[in-house]
Amino acid sequence: MTSQPSAPEKLWLSGNEALALGAHEASVKVASGYPGTPSTEILENVVNYSEIYTEWAPNEKVGLEVAIGASFAGVRALATMKHVGLNVAADPLFTASYTGVRGGLVIVVADDPSMYSSQNEQDSRNYAYAAKLPMLEPADPGEAKDFLKIAYHLSEEYDTPVLLRSCTRVSHVKGIVTSGQVESSALTPGIELLPAKLVMLPANARNRRVEVEKRQQRLRELAETSELNRIEPGDNKIGFIAAGTSYLYVKEAFPEATVLKLGLVYPLPEQLIRDFAARVEKLYVVEDLDPFLETRIKAMGIACIGKEVIPAIGELTPSVVRRAITGQAPADLFEPVELPPRPPNMCPGCPHRGLFYNLNRLKVFVSGDIGCYTLGFLPPLSAMDACVCMGASVGMAHGMDKALGEEAQGKVVAVIGDSTFLHTGLNGLINSVYNKGCSTIIILDNRITGMTGQQPNPASGTTINYDPSPTIDFPELCRAVGVKHVRTVNPHEIEATYQVLKEEIARPEVSVVITRFPCVLTVDEKKRPKKPFHSVTENCTGCTMCLRLGCPAINWQPLTPEEAKAMGKKEKQKGYALINEDMCIGCGQCYELCKFEAISKEEVSR
């Protein structure tokens, strides 16, 4: 079904913007997800379509469950996440494969080859195989929009959730997207009681397992004839099989070659692949990350070349593909530009800086988590000793406690942000309390999901639309799960925070310290009048205490003995610290550390 036709419009959109347009044109009614680069901007753009109810969920599992519920109510639903988020959502994903859908259900998952903003290079195509779900893989923003609409048709026709795999290059690159008609599902929203289909107790699940296999066979037949999979004829001396952005790399590196472009990457069109392989003299499989296609093609008994020459680590480019196959550096292809190194750093005035400065002083093992505060690992703060995945810090600290017994007492802490604590950290705290641990859990509450772009979360007090909503009371929440000792500090107050940390870390039972101060990038903080500090250079002795914070607003000015003498300082003084007042926001952490009155507050507000 479609609405009244309107003239198509050429738009210049990123892949994530195109996916949001696709959700609008597919008449999606409910969209939910958790922010994570490179997928974040999908929902940030979907929310601009007022007919779609859009929300940030506390984690990807909840986001998918919301979408599943909306599908069961007979409307089209969308769940978005990055690749590691799909791990969190895997539990409902695998069983949703059995229940199938009512309204169309699509899960967009964005992979991150080269780990530009991730902790691993996971290939989400493996989930399509494991969960027995169809997966589409667009190559550019235009296909991203079109493939999303196709995914809803497949979902409803084949009674299945559909995975759509994006990646950093598709999500963030801009391209031409042609607008289309707004479609709608033929289903009528409402409650329909279908216990044999939707209640997955073993007896029902065994029956649904048979249906899943029937569906798989139908999808395999579809893959053979679908326009999503097409052969582009050319020179048959070399043939390529590729999907997604890898297809574009092949077309740029070998424009004369014959190519089998796969848009439906699971299940595979086996006969089409056999026919294609028979028409070319040498067959290459080009794909980012895992040899997902290559492994299955070789299992079919087809000779092909893949990861023997194509790198399995990092993001491919046309030049990488050409060089891998020809062994020669391509002179006519754009090579990636080596950017000047720029060490990552917390923002000037970041409230996390004061906490990590103190943790470094305390010489404890810091079990870390995913977020801006992971930067506490870097020098000069150097105060993070482990980091695995979202929410893991709390459980890891508890595990160290139990492994080391009394030896761990006073030596292990967990740090976790507000959004991450609500994502998957709370269960770890419950476990520590229940199993009588003695960790100190530090919740870095900056009122926002910082690293992915300041998205609100249940602790922020607003929804994705910035409508007011109830705010999580962390002290009360922690007491409710059994923590007896909960303290809240301002991390900018360094000495006061140090004393609280020292007391709580020594406590032989679970305690929680909440470091509360808003992220400097929140809307309210940006509006707050700032009074920057400035250097009193004649008082600076070059002790470098302020530099140990690693604040980018403080610079070191080296001095020769002659220069030091000319400034009235001791000849052996190596330099002095200088505050960049344009960057300083007046958090006061350096002011508190300076013992020589070499830092002072400016008189006039800016």
Side-chain angles (χ1 to χ4, degrees):
M1 298 175 65
T2 60
S3 63
Q4 292 299 315
S6 58
E9 188 178 359
K10 299 287 186 184
L11 303 169
W12 183 248
L13 301 178
S14 71
N16 285 345
E17 291 169 329
L19 287 165
L21 176 62
H24 162 67
E25 292 184 358
S27 288
V28 169
K29 294 301 179 188
V30 174
S32 185
Y34 184 80
T37 306
S39 70
T40 306
E41 298 84 6
I42 303 172
L43 286 194
E44 288 183 333
N45 284 280
V46 169
V47 75
N48 295 323
Y49 297 98
S50 59
E51 77 279 11
I52 305 177
Y53 169 76
T54 308
E55 66 175 27
W56 287 127
N59 65 35
E60 295 84 355
K61 177 176 182 289
V62 174
L64 178 53
E65 290 161 349
V66 169
I68 290 171
S71 168
F72 287 175
V75 305
R76 289 182 170 177
L78 173 69
T80 68
M81 58 200 69
K82 67 183 296 182
H83 60 298
V84 289
L86 192 54
N87 301 333
V88 181
D91 197 1
L93 179 78
F94 277 67
T95 304
S97 175
Y98 280 36
T99 63
V101 304
R102 284 196 64 221
L105 172 59
V106 178
I107 302 105
V108 176
V109 55
D111 288 1
D112 187 17
S114 285
M115 298 171 283
Y116 296 107
S117 184
S118 305
Q119 64 269 40
N120 66 43
E121 269 194 334
Q122 181 181 304
D123 190 328
S124 294
R125 293 177 297 176
N126 295 300
Y127 271 103
Y129 170 76
K132 301 178 175 57
L133 292 173
M135 173 176 270
L136 307 186
E137 187 174 358
D140 56 37
E143 282 195 349
K145 194 267 294 186
D146 293 340
F147 279 23
L148 187 67
K149 296 175 71 175
I150 293 170
Y152 282 102
H153 289 279
L154 294 179
S155 177
E156 293 175 352
E157 183 176 350
Y158 288 85
D159 187 18
T160 179
V162 176
L163 287 161
L164 188 147
R165 182 200 193 206
S166 183
C167 65
T168 306
R169 207 52 54 183
V170 171
S171 292
H172 290 167
V173 74
K174 289 269 188 176
I176 295 174
V177 179
T178 304
S179 65
Q181 301 302 317
V182 176
E183 303 172 349
S184 61
S185 167
L187 292 172
T188 301
I191 295 175
E192 186 174 356
L193 302 181
L194 301 166
K197 172 176 165 60
L198 303 182
V199 181
M200 285 304 96
L201 52 72
N204 288 343
R206 291 188 192 103
N207 292 331
R208 291 298 302 176
R209 174 71 182 87
V210 176
E211 296 303 316
V212 169
E213 204 54 35
K214 291 179 181 175
R215 180 182 74 205
Q216 285 288 89
Q217 180 56 39
R218 292 176 60 211
L219 286 167
R220 281 192 283 270
E221 294 168 1
L222 169 74
E224 300 290 351
T225 57
S226 171
E227 294 181 355
L228 293 165
N229 303 323
R230 66 172 187 262
I231 294 175
E232 297 181 356
D235 183 351
N236 286 336
K237 290 181 179 177
I238 301 180
F240 290 93
I241 297 177
T245 52
S246 297
Y247 158 76
L248 296 178
Y249 303 150
V250 166
K251 292 294 287 185
E252 190 167 347
F254 296 93
E256 305 301 325
T258 295
V259 179
L260 171 55
K261 179 187 185 299
L262 298 177
L264 178 59
V265 294
Y266 188 79
L268 290 177
E270 295 192 4
Q271 188 57 51
L272 181 63
I273 291 171
R274 291 184 192 282
D275 294 344
F276 180 77
R279 67 189 283 174
V280 298
E281 295 178 19
K282 184 178 284 189
L283 178 61
Y284 286 90
V285 179
V286 178
E287 51 192 330
D288 271 318
L289 304 180
D290 293 348
F292 180 83
L293 302 175
E294 176 190 341
T295 300
R296 285 153 184 80
I297 292 169
K298 285 181 174 175
M300 292 160 56
I302 297 173
C304 62
I305 303 169
K307 294 303 176 185
E308 301 98 311
V309 296
I310 304 296
I313 299 173
E315 186 180 36
L316 300 178
T317 66
S319 60
V320 168
V321 171
R322 172 86 73 80
R323 186 166 49 244
I325 292 175
T326 66
Q328 298 175 348
D332 57 335
L333 290 178
F334 175 75
E335 290 277 2
V337 176
E338 288 293 331
L339 297 174
R342 188 185 64 176
N345 199 350
M346 296 174 190
C347 301
C350 176
H352 302 335
R353 182 173 283 108
L355 169 71
F356 283 105
Y357 172 80
N358 277 322
L359 291 176
N360 181 296
R361 294 168 71 191
L362 288 163
K363 306 302 178 191
V364 289
F365 185 96
V366 179
S367 177
D369 222 295
I370 307 294
C372 296
Y373 41 90
T374 311
L375 300 174
F377 160 78
L378 298 168
L381 297 170
S382 304
M384 185 171 287
D385 302 291
C387 180
V388 173
C389 68
M390 293 281 281
S393 61
V394 184
M396 292 192 301
H398 178 71
M400 295 189 72
D401 280 347
K402 292 300 180 185
L404 300 176
E406 291 185 359
E407 187 181 338
Q409 179 66 47
K411 298 178 181 174
V412 179
V413 303
V415 295
I416 188 167
D418 50 349
S419 182
T420 312
F421 180 71
L422 297 171
H423 180 275
T424 38
L426 176 58
N427 281 356
L429 179 61
I430 293 170
N431 180 63
S432 296
V433 173
Y434 171 61
N435 289 300
K436 301 176 182 179
C438 59
S439 309
T440 296
I441 315 303
I442 304 169
I443 302 174
L444 291 78
D445 179 10
N446 65 356
R447 311 271 88 189
I448 208 75
T449 309
M451 181 167 270
T452 54
Q454 298 84 54
Q455 290 77 25
N457 64 57
S460 303
T462 62
T463 67
I464 191 171
N465 290 309
Y466 295 98
D467 294 331
S469 66
T471 304
I472 290 287
D473 185 327
F474 281 118
E476 287 303 311
L477 177 62
C478 293
R479 292 187 185 101
V481 301
V483 182
K484 296 176 183 174
H485 306 280
V486 183
R487 301 175 73 174
T488 301
V489 297
N490 177 350
H492 289 318
E493 297 173 352
I494 289 183
E495 281 308 312
T497 299
Y498 177 78
Q499 291 304 323
V500 169
L501 290 173
K502 195 173 178 181
E503 292 168 16
E504 295 305 322
I505 290 171
R507 198 181 294 280
E509 59 184 305
V510 173
S511 63
V512 171
V513 177
I514 301 165
T515 65
R516 176 173 295 169
F517 202 90
C519 169
V520 295
L521 299 178
T522 58
V523 174
D524 289 343
E525 272 299 291
K526 286 179 178 176
K527 292 178 180 176
R528 186 171 63 83
K530 307 295 193 304
K531 292 183 178 180
F533 286 77
H534 67 91
S535 302
V536 184
T537 53
E538 60 269 29
N539 291 346
C540 183
T541 64
C543 73
T544 72
M545 280 298 293
C546 58
L547 295 176
R548 297 179 193 181
L549 290 168
C551 178
I554 306 175
N555 300 306
W556 178 249
Q557 304 295 311
L559 289 174
T560 64
E562 293 76 18
E563 290 171 334
K565 187 177 179 181
M567 292 181 68
K569 300 180 181 298
K570 296 179 180 178
E571 290 187 36
K572 65 180 180 182
Q573 184 169 329
K574 303 295 185 185
Y576 62 95
L578 187 64
I579 294 174
N580 182 331
E581 296 175 30
D582 291 329
M583 296 180 70
C584 176
I585 68 152
C587 73
Q589 293 182 19
C590 59
Y591 177 77
E592 193 171 335
L593 292 181
C594 183
K595 306 301 181 188
F596 300 98
E597 298 184 348
I599 296 175
S600 177
K601 267 205 166 182
E602 201 173 45
E603 292 294 329
V604 181
S605 301
R606 57 178 180 176

